[in-house]
Amino acid sequence: MVEKQFTITDTAGIHARPAAILVNLASKFDSEVNIVHQEKKVNLKSILGVMSLGIAYGTEFKVNIEGTDEEDGIIDLLKKLKKQRRKLEKGKNELSEQLSRLNYYNVSIDD
């Protein structure tokens, strides 16, 4: 069995979109893939299971994989999560840049 711990850096936590990404990736493997959060373990191949955990920003969770393709599974999972983090950071940078331009042109944004 291989296990890896992660910390949520997206302020929205694990909502439907990232949960679907994780479930789709986990479903590609023959191995048993679980996600563990606050002592609760669910099948990472189940969108309802993942969503039931309510994993919020700043919290930690573990993924453990056990089976014939566990090594490939953890490597692919790490690659996918790193790629998603880069996309998120790029999006935040673009938004910040757009907001700066609005501020430059003296445009106010009301809540």
Side-chain angles (χ1 to χ4, degrees), residues 6-107:
F6 300 92
T7 302
I8 297 298
T9 58
D10 185 345
T11 55
I14 295 185
H15 53 86
R17 189 175 298 126
I21 290 168
L22 289 170
V23 168
N24 286 333
L25 181 61
S27 297
K28 294 178 182 179
F29 301 102
D30 295 327
S31 296
E32 183 178 320
V33 185
N34 293 298
I35 183 168
V36 182
H37 175 64
Q38 295 179 346
E39 306 302 318
K40 185 175 179 187
K41 178 169 102 171
V42 299
N43 183 346
L44 190 55
K45 297 177 183 181
S46 164
I47 188 88
L48 293 176
V50 175
M51 294 296 297
S52 74
L53 294 174
I55 302 176
Y57 169 75
T59 61
E60 295 179 342
F61 68 94
K62 293 179 184 177
V63 172
N64 56 56
I65 306 174
E66 186 170 4
T68 57
D69 53 358
E70 62 188 31
E71 293 295 330
D72 292 335
I74 200 71
I75 290 168
D76 285 355
L77 180 67
L78 289 169
K79 286 180 185 177
K80 186 70 166 183
L81 290 175
K82 285 179 184 178
K83 182 179 177 182
Q84 290 301 317
R85 185 173 66 190
R86 285 193 300 270
K87 278 184 175 180
L88 177 65
E89 289 170 354
K90 182 181 178 190
K92 285 181 180 178
N93 290 339
E94 288 173 0
L95 177 61
S96 178
E97 191 176 301
Q98 290 170 355
L99 291 173
S100 293
R101 275 191 236 123
L102 287 175
N103 192 29
Y104 175 79
Y105 291 110
N106 244 353
V107 175

